[in-house]
Amino acid sequence: MTIPKLAIVIPCYNESEALPITVARLIQLLDDMFNNGLVTNDSYILCCDDGSKDSTWKVIERLHMSDKRIKGISLAHNRGHQYALLAGLMCVKENCDAAVSIDADLQDDPQAICKMVKEFIYNDKEIVYGVRSSRKTDSWFKRNSAHAFYNLQRRLGLDTVFDHADYRLMSRRSLELLADYGECNLFLRGIIPQIGLDTAIIEYERKERIAGHTKYPIGEMVSLSIDGITSFSAKPIRLIFLLGLIFLILDISIAIYVLSAYFNDDTISGWTSLMLSVWFIGSIILMGIGIVGEYIGKIFMEVKHRPRYAVKDKLID
Ligand code: UDP
Ligand code: MG
C-alpha cells in the first residue's frame, strides 16, 4: 500500500473565469485528502494552457506565485483538448505516482477523486475511470448522440467505457505505457482501454459548467467521433466491399429480369446491355475499392507504430 504523490492535470483553453474557482476547490481537496492519509503533501496541480487567447496563462502564473503546488505548462498554440491533456500527462509522468485528469469547468465532481485514489491505494487499480451516473445536464442531442457513438464503437469491436469522458486516474506505470502510443490522431478514450492493467469504474454526477462556455461545439464533437472510429477500426472500409458484394448479388437478379424482358421482346434496343453492364461494373468497382481500402487500412494501422504488447511486471534478475 503506497500513499501516492498525486498530480491533477487540467487542460485549459480560455478558462480564465473558471480556473481560479476550480484550482481553489482542488487545492482544498488535496489538503483534505492529505489530512485523511490519501495523498502525500507534495501532491500538486498541473494546468496545461492549450494556447488560450484570453488571460488563462496569466491566471496560472498568478496562482503559481500564491502556491507552488499549482504548476503550469503552456502549449505554443491551440491543439485541442486531447493533445493538451496528453501534454499534461506526459509532463507529470516522471513526477507522480498517479495522475488524475479533470476539466477546468468543475462539471466532473472533484469528490470522485477521493474514490479513485482509494481504488488505487486499497485495490491496486492502475486506471480508474470516472463514469457519469446520469447525463441530466447534457442536452437531449448530446446525450443521444453520445450513446449512439458508444454503441457504434462497441459494434465495431472497440473497447469503450460508456459515459466516460477523460475524467480518470492513471498510475505512473499506465502513463509510461501510454507514452509508447506515438499516434498523431489522438483519441485517448480509445487508446487507454487498450493499455490493459487492472481497472475500476467510479460513478459520479455530471454538473453544469461553473463559468465560461463550452469549447466543444458540434463540429469538434463530430470530428472527435470520426477520429474515435477511424483511428481504431478498418471495418468501415470492409463495408464498401460488402456493398459491392450485395450489388453483385442484386446484379444476378436484375440480369434475370433484364434478360427475360429481352427475350419477351419487352425492351427498347440497347437497354439490356446497358443495364447489365452498369450493375456489373458498379459492383466490381465497389469491390475493387473495398480491396484497395483493406490494404490502405492495414498501412494506416502500421504507420501508427503502436506498441504490440505492454509488459506489466518484470522478474528477470
Ligand atoms: N479544452 C482544451 N483545448 C481546446 C478545447 C477545450 O484544452 O481546444 C479544455 C477546456 O478548457 C476544458 C476541457 O478541455 O477544460 C473540456 O472542454 P469543455 O468543458 O468546453 O467541453 P464540454 O464539457 O462542453 O464537452
Ligand atoms: Mg465541460
Side-chain angles (χ1 to χ4, degrees), residues 12-28:
C12 326
Y13 180 59
N14 296 344
E15 297 286 6
S16 56
E17 281 176 68
L19 204 55
I21 310 169
T22 304
V23 167
R25 176 84 179 76
L26 292 173
I27 283 287
Q28 179 64 52

Side-chain angles (χ1 to χ4, degrees), residues 52-114:
S52 296
K53 299 195 171 47
D54 70 354
S55 58
T56 298
W57 184 243
K58 286 219 159 52
V59 170
I60 296 171
E61 281 176 330
R62 208 182 61 231
L63 291 167
H64 177 67
M65 296 298 276
S66 67
D67 188 336
K68 291 287 179 261
R69 287 179 297 169
I70 304 159
K71 303 174 196 291
I73 57 168
S74 168
L75 301 192
H77 61 128
N78 179 237
R79 290 289 289 122
H81 173 219
Q82 297 288 296
Y83 299 87
L85 184 53
L86 183 71
L89 292 174
M90 291 303 108
C91 180
V92 301
K93 106 174 130 58
E94 257 107 57
N95 190 21
C96 71
D97 300 311
V100 168
S101 48
I102 187 168
D103 291 349
D105 54 10
L106 283 188
Q107 282 195 279
D108 307 317
D109 181 9
Q111 216 52 44
I113 296 177
C114 295

Side-chain angles (χ1 to χ4, degrees), residues 289-303:
I289 295 174
I291 292 169
V292 173
E294 191 72 28
Y295 287 101
I296 294 177
K298 295 262 178 328
I299 297 167
F300 176 60
M301 291 298 171
E302 289 289 341
V303 295

Side-chain angles (χ1 to χ4, degrees), residues 99-278:
V100 168
S101 48
I102 187 168
D103 291 349
D105 54 10
L106 283 188
Q107 282 195 279
D108 307 317
D109 181 9
Q111 216 52 44
I113 296 177
C114 295
K115 295 189 197 160
M116 291 180 184
V117 171
K118 282 180 185 160
E119 288 287 343
F120 174 81
I121 299 177
Y122 303 118
N123 297 332
D124 292 327
K125 300 295 180 193
E126 304 231 25
I127 303 176
V128 187
Y129 297 101
V131 165
R132 300 165 185 182
S133 56
S134 76
R135 302 184 68 115
K136 271 184 265 167
T137 56
D138 283 343
S139 65
W140 180 90
F141 175 75
K142 197 158 183 171
R143 204 165 43 235
N144 285 285
S145 58
H147 277 160
F149 173 65
Y150 293 131
N151 277 319
L152 183 61
Q153 280 199 320
R154 281 261 166 100
R155 270 164 195 259
L156 292 173
L158 310 183
D159 253 344
T160 10
V161 182
F162 262 63
D163 283 335
H164 159 71
D166 294 311
Y167 183 28
R168 71 179 88 78
L169 176 144
M170 294 182 76
S171 68
R172 183 179 176 144
R173 178 163 47 185
S174 65
L175 289 173
E176 272 158 11
L177 294 173
L178 175 65
D180 289 339
Y181 286 78
E183 56 207 80
C184 292
N185 289 297
L186 206 55
F187 185 67
L188 290 169
R189 272 171 258 173
I191 297 172
I192 290 167
Q194 288 197 351
I195 293 177
L197 301 176
D198 283 345
T199 63
I201 280 175
I202 290 296
E203 293 207 344
Y204 68 95
E205 188 97 21
R206 172 104 162 151
K207 302 205 178 74
E208 294 285 1
R209 207 172 220 288
I210 47 158
H213 54 84
T214 179
K215 278 85 191 177
Y216 259 112
I218 178 111
E220 290 284 321
M221 258 166 60
V222 171
S223 132
L224 186 69
S225 315
I226 292 174
D227 271 353
I229 288 171
T230 52
S231 294
F232 295 90
S233 173
K235 282 191 184 168
I237 294 173
R238 260 175 221 162
L239 287 181
I240 304 176
F241 183 79
L242 207 67
L243 207 66
L245 209 63
I246 293 169
F247 269 50
L248 197 65
I249 295 164
L250 271 179
D251 188 27
I252 295 166
S253 26
I254 285 170
I256 295 169
Y257 166 71
V258 167
L259 285 175
S260 68
Y262 174 75
F263 286 120
N264 288 333
D265 268 346
D266 197 12
T267 60
I268 50 169
S269 98
W271 182 76
T272 312
S273 54
L274 199 68
M275 280 298 279
L276 287 177
S277 46
V278 163

